[in-house]
Structure formats: C-alpha cells, structure tokens
Amino acid sequence: QAPSGSRPRGPRDPPNPAMDAHAMLLALERESFTEEVANKLIQHVVLADLRTGKLPKDQADLLLKTLLLEQYFVCNSDLRTLKASCEKFGHIQGYKTFLEFFRDGEAFALGEHQKMCQLLGLSDEQLEAHVPHYKCQAFPSYFCSILLHQSPVVAAAAFAVNFPAWGQMCGILRDSLLIHYGYEKEDLGFLDFFATPIPNLRELADQVFATEGEEVSYVQLKRSVKLLQEYELLFWDGIWEQMQTPGSAGKCDIC
C-alpha cells in the first residue's frame, strides 16, 4: 500500500512543514559525508588529466564513450523507475508534480544521449551489446529502491542532494571537452542538460515535504541519502576501472 505522503519527524512537530523541510535539507547538505563525497568526486582520478588537457584525445573519447555506454542502462532504468513511481504515487499531488518533472527530464536526456552516441559512432547494437559494470549500475538499483519502496520525502531529499553532485561532474566533463578537445557545446547536449542547475529543485522538494502522511525520521533520510551519494562515487569508480583494465567490457564493446 503506497503511503499517502510523508513528512519528516523531529523532536518537535513544527506548524509549518515547509520550514521543517528547509531545516532537514540544510542539515543533510551540511553532513560530513556530503562534503566528503563532493570532494572525492571533483578530485576523482577520472577527471584529473581531462580537466588539464593532458589526457590524450583517444582516451578522452574513450571516457566519453564509456560514460555513454553505462548511462544507456542507467537512464533507461531511471526512466522506468520514474514511470512506475508516477503510477504508484500519482494520487499525492505534490509528489506527482515532482515525479513528472524528473520523468520528463529523464526522457529528454535520453534523446540527448542518443544524439551524442550518433556523434561518437556508437550504434544501438553496441549499446545493447555492452555488459554494464556492476559499480556503475549500483546507483540506478538503489534509485529504484528509494522511489518505489521508500517514502516520498526520502526521494525528495535524495534528489535535492544528489542532483547537484551529478550535475557538477557533468559540468566538469563538458567544460573540459569544450576547452581542450575540440568539441562544440551542441555536441554535448547530454552533459549540458545535467550540468545546468535546476532552479526550482528546492521548491519541488519542499512540496513533497509538505504533504501529509507517514512520518520519516532524520536518521532514515540521512541513511538513504548517504548511500545514494556513495553509489554516485562508485559509478565514477566503475568508469575509471573500465578505462584502465585491458579487456574490460567497456573497451571490448567500444573497439
């Protein structure tokens, strides 16, 4: 049975749930794990030589292809999850708006993904033949768990913290490819879409927190958000491993 909605539980139940949402999200953003993961991401080895232009062009192309191969499975999985969540939680107005926004965004991103694949010569057959790396696919698996099996406020909190981190990585990749590797902005629509901040992300999350329903503790929120952030980091570890391991799935499918 899907919950009718969710809101956080604290030592006191404030009269304004939206204010409580601000406090909860701010606390999550200030958690030590949020800063630690953010620092590990921007200092990730997968970006080190790319952002300075020292990575050879063929390796930069390999990085981009590996990312697109893995994201083919990530984005399709996330879109299926969002569609299923819209069906399950469509009766909760604030959450419905939230889910539909990200569902439509994911569908648009897949269109941009297809354009980048065509640019880099990745066929549909190559995408389907790729064997996804387990580290790269842990994120969409837990993303599915949050959206379909946990309370709406958990999903809202996870999105609010994770999307800026993912977007920052896409932004660094986009800018590095533009500056050092001869790409044009229109070539990198998939990265550019996610790198562009969502101006109303906090407002969308606040609407979910303001819905009435089962209570969720801060400990629950923290646990789920922390795991999702760690899986974000694991995704990039998986990309790097495929670039470094001779005979890895990524290299075999690209070559």
Side-chain angles (χ1 to χ4, degrees):
Q1 178 65 39
S4 59
S6 307
R7 59 188 175 86
R9 178 180 60 205
R12 295 183 179 180
D13 194 12
N16 187 340
M19 290 181 63
D20 195 51
H22 282 295
M24 287 285 189
L25 292 174
L26 186 61
L28 286 168
E29 290 168 353
R30 291 177 174 175
E31 285 284 352
S32 59
F33 73 81
T34 304
E35 182 179 359
E36 289 168 6
V37 170
N39 288 335
K40 287 179 180 178
L41 284 171
I42 62 175
Q43 296 172 15
H44 200 286
V45 63
V46 79
L47 298 176
D49 288 342
L50 183 80
R51 68 200 310 172
T52 62
K54 293 180 180 179
L55 190 69
K57 177 66 163 59
D58 65 323
Q59 288 296 298
D61 290 343
L62 177 62
L63 168 59
L64 192 51
K65 288 181 178 180
T66 305
L67 177 73
L68 290 171
L69 285 165
E70 291 296 336
Q71 280 294 314
Y72 174 73
F73 293 93
V74 172
C75 287
N76 277 291
S77 175
D78 287 352
L79 182 58
R80 289 191 296 269
T81 296
L82 285 160
K83 287 180 177 178
S85 298
C86 286
E87 293 179 6
K88 182 174 182 178
F89 296 103
H91 60 287
I92 309 173
Q93 188 54 47
Y95 195 35
K96 177 184 178 183
T97 301
F98 179 91
L99 291 169
E100 289 177 344
F101 176 86
F102 285 100
R103 176 201 64 193
D104 295 345
E106 199 73 43
F108 178 83
L110 272 169
E112 294 300 311
H113 178 276
Q114 185 178 33
K115 293 176 185 176
M116 284 189 64
C117 287
Q118 291 171 350
L119 175 71
L120 290 167
L122 285 176
S123 66
D124 291 344
E125 291 75 19
Q126 284 175 296
L127 292 170
E128 282 293 332
H130 176 64
V131 179
H133 195 287
Y134 72 97
K135 288 187 178 181
C136 295
Q137 300 306 312
F139 181 97
S141 296
Y142 193 60
F143 179 86
C144 180
S145 173
I146 287 177
L147 263 70
L148 290 178
H149 304 299
Q150 299 192 47
S151 298
V153 295
V154 176
F159 273 72
V161 175
N162 175 258
F163 261 71
W166 160 245
Q168 184 177 40
M169 294 294 283
C170 289
I172 294 172
L173 276 173
R174 176 200 60 192
D175 295 344
S176 300
L177 292 167
L178 289 173
I179 294 170
H180 301 296
Y181 296 96
Y183 284 90
E184 301 293 335
K185 188 174 182 180
E186 54 267 26
D187 298 333
L188 306 173
F190 179 75
L191 295 175
D192 188 59
F193 174 73
F194 284 116
T196 303
I198 302 173
N200 61 332
L201 178 58
R202 181 57 64 86
E203 178 184 341
L204 288 165
D206 285 349
Q207 291 177 9
V208 179
F209 271 74
T211 59
E212 294 296 327
E214 76 173 78
E215 296 178 336
V216 178
S217 70
Y218 182 75
V219 171
Q220 290 174 281
L221 290 179
K222 178 180 175 180
R223 178 174 60 238
S224 296
V225 171
K226 183 175 185 292
L227 273 173
L228 194 67
Q229 289 300 89
E230 289 171 346
Y231 288 141
E232 176 72 41
L233 182 60
L234 195 66
F235 172 85
W236 294 101
D237 290 345
I239 296 295
W240 178 249
E241 284 187 18
Q242 289 179 80
M243 293 182 64
Q244 299 304 304
T245 306
S248 69
K251 285 193 175 183
C252 286
D253 293 335
I254 291 169
C255 293

mmCIF file of all heavy atoms in Angstrom, residues 188-219:
data_model
loop_
_atom_site.group_PDB
_atom_site.id
_atom_site.type_symbol
_atom_site.label_atom_id
_atom_site.label_comp_id
_atom_site.label_asym_id
_atom_site.label_seq_id
_atom_site.Cartn_x
_atom_site.Cartn_y
_atom_site.Cartn_z
ATOM 1 N N LEU A 188 27.478 18.229 -26.983
ATOM 2 C CA LEU A 188 27.489 17.690 -25.614
ATOM 3 C C LEU A 188 26.179 17.960 -24.884
ATOM 4 O O LEU A 188 26.156 18.248 -23.693
ATOM 5 C CB LEU A 188 28.664 18.298 -24.839
ATOM 6 C CG LEU A 188 30.049 18.139 -25.497
ATOM 7 C CD1 LEU A 188 31.103 18.921 -24.724
ATOM 8 C CD2 LEU A 188 30.427 16.661 -25.590
ATOM 9 N N GLY A 189 25.072 17.844 -25.615
ATOM 10 C CA GLY A 189 23.773 18.161 -25.039
ATOM 11 C C GLY A 189 23.413 17.328 -23.826
ATOM 12 O O GLY A 189 22.786 17.822 -22.883
ATOM 13 N N PHE A 190 23.804 16.065 -23.819
ATOM 14 C CA PHE A 190 23.505 15.192 -22.679
ATOM 15 C C PHE A 190 24.185 15.709 -21.416
ATOM 16 O O PHE A 190 23.553 15.831 -20.359
ATOM 17 C CB PHE A 190 23.966 13.771 -22.991
ATOM 18 C CG PHE A 190 23.737 12.782 -21.887
ATOM 19 C CD1 PHE A 190 22.467 12.296 -21.616
ATOM 20 C CD2 PHE A 190 24.805 12.325 -21.116
ATOM 21 C CE1 PHE A 190 22.253 11.370 -20.586
ATOM 22 C CE2 PHE A 190 24.612 11.414 -20.106
ATOM 23 C CZ PHE A 190 23.333 10.929 -19.834
ATOM 24 N N LEU A 191 25.469 16.030 -21.527
ATOM 25 C CA LEU A 191 26.199 16.555 -20.379
ATOM 26 C C LEU A 191 25.689 17.936 -19.997
ATOM 27 O O LEU A 191 25.529 18.253 -18.805
ATOM 28 C CB LEU A 191 27.691 16.621 -20.693
ATOM 29 C CG LEU A 191 28.409 15.296 -20.927
ATOM 30 C CD1 LEU A 191 29.861 15.555 -21.337
ATOM 31 C CD2 LEU A 191 28.352 14.405 -19.698
ATOM 32 N N ASP A 192 25.417 18.764 -20.986
ATOM 33 C CA ASP A 192 24.976 20.132 -20.723
ATOM 34 C C ASP A 192 23.625 20.151 -20.007
ATOM 35 O O ASP A 192 23.392 20.988 -19.129
ATOM 36 C CB ASP A 192 24.894 20.897 -22.035
ATOM 37 C CG ASP A 192 24.637 22.379 -21.828
ATOM 38 O OD1 ASP A 192 25.462 23.036 -21.156
ATOM 39 O OD2 ASP A 192 23.600 22.886 -22.312
ATOM 40 N N PHE A 193 22.750 19.235 -20.386
ATOM 41 C CA PHE A 193 21.426 19.170 -19.741
ATOM 42 C C PHE A 193 21.559 18.929 -18.246
ATOM 43 O O PHE A 193 20.957 19.627 -17.428
ATOM 44 C CB PHE A 193 20.582 18.061 -20.384
ATOM 45 C CG PHE A 193 19.274 17.823 -19.690
ATOM 46 C CD1 PHE A 193 18.232 18.733 -19.811
ATOM 47 C CD2 PHE A 193 19.081 16.689 -18.912
ATOM 48 C CE1 PHE A 193 17.018 18.515 -19.163
ATOM 49 C CE2 PHE A 193 17.880 16.458 -18.262
ATOM 50 C CZ PHE A 193 16.842 17.382 -18.393
ATOM 51 N N PHE A 194 22.361 17.942 -17.884
ATOM 52 C CA PHE A 194 22.503 17.622 -16.464
ATOM 53 C C PHE A 194 23.386 18.633 -15.730
ATOM 54 O O PHE A 194 23.258 18.799 -14.512
ATOM 55 C CB PHE A 194 23.074 16.212 -16.291
ATOM 56 C CG PHE A 194 22.069 15.122 -16.548
ATOM 57 C CD1 PHE A 194 22.239 14.241 -17.606
ATOM 58 C CD2 PHE A 194 20.962 14.977 -15.735
ATOM 59 C CE1 PHE A 194 21.313 13.235 -17.843
ATOM 60 C CE2 PHE A 194 20.027 13.972 -15.966
ATOM 61 C CZ PHE A 194 20.206 13.095 -17.025
ATOM 62 N N ALA A 195 24.280 19.282 -16.448
ATOM 63 C CA ALA A 195 25.151 20.267 -15.814
ATOM 64 C C ALA A 195 24.410 21.562 -15.491
ATOM 65 O O ALA A 195 24.877 22.351 -14.659
ATOM 66 C CB ALA A 195 26.342 20.571 -16.724
ATOM 67 N N THR A 196 23.273 21.789 -16.134
ATOM 68 C CA THR A 196 22.502 23.002 -15.903
ATOM 69 C C THR A 196 21.713 22.866 -14.605
ATOM 70 O O THR A 196 20.894 21.950 -14.476
ATOM 71 C CB THR A 196 21.523 23.255 -17.062
ATOM 72 O OG1 THR A 196 22.265 23.333 -18.288
ATOM 73 C CG2 THR A 196 20.761 24.552 -16.854
ATOM 74 N N PRO A 197 21.950 23.739 -13.617
ATOM 75 C CA PRO A 197 21.245 23.620 -12.329
ATOM 76 C C PRO A 197 19.727 23.710 -12.502
ATOM 77 O O PRO A 197 19.222 24.411 -13.395
ATOM 78 C CB PRO A 197 21.774 24.818 -11.528
ATOM 79 C CG PRO A 197 23.084 25.158 -12.167
ATOM 80 C CD PRO A 197 22.915 24.852 -13.628
ATOM 81 N N ILE A 198 19.008 22.984 -11.675
ATOM 82 C CA ILE A 198 17.542 23.039 -11.664
ATOM 83 C C ILE A 198 17.141 24.176 -10.733
ATOM 84 O O ILE A 198 17.297 24.069 -9.513
ATOM 85 C CB ILE A 198 16.940 21.713 -11.174
ATOM 86 C CG1 ILE A 198 17.410 20.557 -12.060
ATOM 87 C CG2 ILE A 198 15.414 21.784 -11.143
ATOM 88 C CD1 ILE A 198 17.009 19.186 -11.559
ATOM 89 N N PRO A 199 16.640 25.278 -11.264
ATOM 90 C CA PRO A 199 16.391 26.459 -10.421
ATOM 91 C C PRO A 199 15.344 26.248 -9.341
ATOM 92 O O PRO A 199 15.417 26.851 -8.275
ATOM 93 C CB PRO A 199 15.944 27.531 -11.433
ATOM 94 C CG PRO A 199 15.463 26.767 -12.618
ATOM 95 C CD PRO A 199 16.300 25.526 -12.676
ATOM 96 N N ASN A 200 14.374 25.369 -9.606
ATOM 97 C CA ASN A 200 13.292 25.157 -8.632
ATOM 98 C C ASN A 200 13.403 23.813 -7.920
ATOM 99 O O ASN A 200 12.406 23.276 -7.439
ATOM 100 C CB ASN A 200 11.936 25.264 -9.320
ATOM 101 C CG ASN A 200 11.749 24.221 -10.426
ATOM 102 O OD1 ASN A 200 12.732 23.768 -11.028
ATOM 103 N ND2 ASN A 200 10.511 23.846 -10.700
ATOM 104 N N LEU A 201 14.617 23.266 -7.846
ATOM 105 C CA LEU A 201 14.792 21.958 -7.209
ATOM 106 C C LEU A 201 14.348 21.980 -5.757
ATOM 107 O O LEU A 201 13.624 21.087 -5.300
ATOM 108 C CB LEU A 201 16.256 21.514 -7.306
ATOM 109 C CG LEU A 201 16.602 20.176 -6.645
ATOM 110 C CD1 LEU A 201 15.776 19.044 -7.224
ATOM 111 C CD2 LEU A 201 18.097 19.881 -6.811
ATOM 112 N N ARG A 202 14.749 22.998 -5.008
ATOM 113 C CA ARG A 202 14.363 23.069 -3.597
ATOM 114 C C ARG A 202 12.850 23.252 -3.449
ATOM 115 O O ARG A 202 12.226 22.666 -2.558
ATOM 116 C CB ARG A 202 15.122 24.208 -2.909
ATOM 117 C CG ARG A 202 14.823 24.380 -1.436
ATOM 118 C CD ARG A 202 15.114 23.101 -0.650
ATOM 119 N NE ARG A 202 16.508 22.758 -0.671
ATOM 120 C CZ ARG A 202 17.421 23.246 0.186
ATOM 121 N NH1 ARG A 202 17.071 24.090 1.112
ATOM 122 N NH2 ARG A 202 18.679 22.873 0.088
ATOM 123 N N GLU A 203 12.258 24.045 -4.328
ATOM 124 C CA GLU A 203 10.810 24.248 -4.282
ATOM 125 C C GLU A 203 10.062 22.938 -4.537
ATOM 126 O O GLU A 203 9.073 22.621 -3.857
ATOM 127 C CB GLU A 203 10.396 25.290 -5.323
ATOM 128 C CG GLU A 203 8.893 25.548 -5.391
ATOM 129 C CD GLU A 203 8.521 26.507 -6.506
ATOM 130 O OE1 GLU A 203 9.414 27.250 -6.992
ATOM 131 O OE2 GLU A 203 7.340 26.516 -6.905
ATOM 132 N N LEU A 204 10.542 22.165 -5.500
ATOM 133 C CA LEU A 204 9.923 20.872 -5.781
ATOM 134 C C LEU A 204 10.030 19.939 -4.574
ATOM 135 O O LEU A 204 9.072 19.238 -4.230
ATOM 136 C CB LEU A 204 10.597 20.226 -6.994
ATOM 137 C CG LEU A 204 10.292 20.842 -8.357
ATOM 138 C CD1 LEU A 204 11.293 20.339 -9.400
ATOM 139 C CD2 LEU A 204 8.879 20.512 -8.793
ATOM 140 N N ALA A 205 11.198 19.935 -3.941
ATOM 141 C CA ALA A 205 11.390 19.091 -2.757
ATOM 142 C C ALA A 205 10.504 19.563 -1.606
ATOM 143 O O ALA A 205 9.913 18.740 -0.884
ATOM 144 C CB ALA A 205 12.857 19.100 -2.340
ATOM 145 N N ASP A 206 10.393 20.875 -1.437
ATOM 146 C CA ASP A 206 9.552 21.415 -0.364
ATOM 147 C C ASP A 206 8.103 20.964 -0.513
ATOM 148 O O ASP A 206 7.416 20.678 0.478
ATOM 149 C CB ASP A 206 9.611 22.948 -0.372
ATOM 150 C CG ASP A 206 10.915 23.496 0.179
ATOM 151 O OD1 ASP A 206 11.688 22.707 0.752
ATOM 152 O OD2 ASP A 206 11.167 24.706 0.024
ATOM 153 N N GLN A 207 7.614 20.896 -1.752
ATOM 154 C CA GLN A 207 6.235 20.477 -1.981
ATOM 155 C C GLN A 207 6.017 19.040 -1.526
ATOM 156 O O GLN A 207 4.939 18.689 -1.029
ATOM 157 C CB GLN A 207 5.889 20.618 -3.468
ATOM 158 C CG GLN A 207 5.793 22.049 -3.956
ATOM 159 C CD GLN A 207 5.528 22.136 -5.450
ATOM 160 O OE1 GLN A 207 5.250 21.129 -6.105
ATOM 161 N NE2 GLN A 207 5.626 23.343 -6.001
ATOM 162 N N VAL A 208 7.032 18.212 -1.704
ATOM 163 C CA VAL A 208 6.921 16.821 -1.264
ATOM 164 C C VAL A 208 6.956 16.752 0.260
ATOM 165 O O VAL A 208 6.157 16.041 0.880
ATOM 166 C CB VAL A 208 8.045 15.955 -1.869
ATOM 167 C CG1 VAL A 208 7.922 14.518 -1.384
ATOM 168 C CG2 VAL A 208 8.009 16.022 -3.390
ATOM 169 N N PHE A 209 7.851 17.500 0.882
ATOM 170 C CA PHE A 209 7.950 17.504 2.336
ATOM 171 C C PHE A 209 6.667 18.022 2.978
ATOM 172 O O PHE A 209 6.340 17.656 4.104
ATOM 173 C CB PHE A 209 9.126 18.378 2.780
ATOM 174 C CG PHE A 209 10.437 17.643 2.887
ATOM 175 C CD1 PHE A 209 11.130 17.271 1.746
ATOM 176 C CD2 PHE A 209 10.974 17.326 4.114
ATOM 177 C CE1 PHE A 209 12.341 16.607 1.830
ATOM 178 C CE2 PHE A 209 12.187 16.652 4.211
ATOM 179 C CZ PHE A 209 12.873 16.285 3.070
ATOM 180 N N ALA A 210 5.951 18.880 2.281
ATOM 181 C CA ALA A 210 4.745 19.489 2.841
ATOM 182 C C ALA A 210 3.530 18.574 2.786
ATOM 183 O O ALA A 210 2.493 18.885 3.381
ATOM 184 C CB ALA A 210 4.429 20.795 2.106
ATOM 185 N N THR A 211 3.629 17.443 2.081
ATOM 186 C CA THR A 211 2.497 16.533 2.011
ATOM 187 C C THR A 211 2.299 15.835 3.348
ATOM 188 O O THR A 211 3.251 15.537 4.061
ATOM 189 C CB THR A 211 2.693 15.474 0.912
ATOM 190 O OG1 THR A 211 3.881 14.729 1.187
ATOM 191 C CG2 THR A 211 2.798 16.117 -0.455
ATOM 192 N N GLU A 212 1.056 15.570 3.672
ATOM 193 C CA GLU A 212 0.749 14.870 4.915
ATOM 194 C C GLU A 212 0.889 13.370 4.702
ATOM 195 O O GLU A 212 0.617 12.843 3.633
ATOM 196 C CB GLU A 212 -0.676 15.205 5.364
ATOM 197 C CG GLU A 212 -0.872 16.660 5.758
ATOM 198 C CD GLU A 212 -0.039 17.037 6.977
ATOM 199 O OE1 GLU A 212 0.162 16.171 7.843
ATOM 200 O OE2 GLU A 212 0.413 18.187 7.042
ATOM 201 N N GLY A 213 1.302 12.661 5.722
ATOM 202 C CA GLY A 213 1.405 11.214 5.603
ATOM 203 C C GLY A 213 2.302 10.626 6.669
ATOM 204 O O GLY A 213 2.494 11.217 7.728
ATOM 205 N N GLU A 214 2.856 9.443 6.382
ATOM 206 C CA GLU A 214 3.661 8.757 7.379
ATOM 207 C C GLU A 214 4.907 9.567 7.705
ATOM 208 O O GLU A 214 5.450 10.276 6.862
ATOM 209 C CB GLU A 214 4.046 7.353 6.901
ATOM 210 C CG GLU A 214 5.154 7.327 5.871
ATOM 211 C CD GLU A 214 5.616 5.936 5.545
ATOM 212 O OE1 GLU A 214 4.915 5.255 4.785
ATOM 213 O OE2 GLU A 214 6.692 5.537 6.045
ATOM 214 N N GLU A 215 5.338 9.462 8.943
ATOM 215 C CA GLU A 215 6.477 10.239 9.397
ATOM 216 C C GLU A 215 7.782 9.511 9.085
ATOM 217 O O GLU A 215 7.861 8.288 9.130
ATOM 218 C CB GLU A 215 6.351 10.501 10.892
ATOM 219 C CG GLU A 215 5.139 11.353 11.243
ATOM 220 C CD GLU A 215 5.002 11.567 12.739
ATOM 221 O OE1 GLU A 215 5.530 10.725 13.508
ATOM 222 O OE2 GLU A 215 4.367 12.554 13.148
ATOM 223 N N VAL A 216 8.791 10.291 8.777
ATOM 224 C CA VAL A 216 10.112 9.747 8.456
ATOM 225 C C VAL A 216 11.134 10.466 9.307
ATOM 226 O O VAL A 216 11.156 11.695 9.368
ATOM 227 C CB VAL A 216 10.445 9.949 6.961
ATOM 228 C CG1 VAL A 216 11.835 9.420 6.646
ATOM 229 C CG2 VAL A 216 9.402 9.254 6.084
ATOM 230 N N SER A 217 11.977 9.718 9.974
ATOM 231 C CA SER A 217 12.970 10.326 10.847
ATOM 232 C C SER A 217 14.152 10.861 10.044
ATOM 233 O O SER A 217 14.402 10.438 8.909
ATOM 234 C CB SER A 217 13.475 9.303 11.864
ATOM 235 O OG SER A 217 14.278 8.321 11.226
ATOM 236 N N TYR A 218 14.887 11.761 10.662
ATOM 237 C CA TYR A 218 16.087 12.298 10.014
ATOM 238 C C TYR A 218 17.118 11.188 9.805
ATOM 239 O O TYR A 218 17.835 11.181 8.798
ATOM 240 C CB TYR A 218 16.694 13.417 10.860
ATOM 241 C CG TYR A 218 17.907 14.032 10.219
ATOM 242 C CD1 TYR A 218 17.784 14.904 9.139
ATOM 243 C CD2 TYR A 218 19.194 13.718 10.662
ATOM 244 C CE1 TYR A 218 18.894 15.457 8.522
ATOM 245 C CE2 TYR A 218 20.307 14.265 10.052
ATOM 246 C CZ TYR A 218 20.159 15.130 8.984
ATOM 247 O OH TYR A 218 21.267 15.661 8.368
ATOM 248 N N VAL A 219 17.160 10.237 10.725
ATOM 249 C CA VAL A 219 18.096 9.112 10.590
ATOM 250 C C VAL A 219 17.805 8.335 9.313
ATOM 251 O O VAL A 219 18.731 7.929 8.590
ATOM 252 C CB VAL A 219 18.004 8.183 11.824
ATOM 253 C CG1 VAL A 219 18.803 6.903 11.592
ATOM 254 C CG2 VAL A 219 18.514 8.894 13.067
#
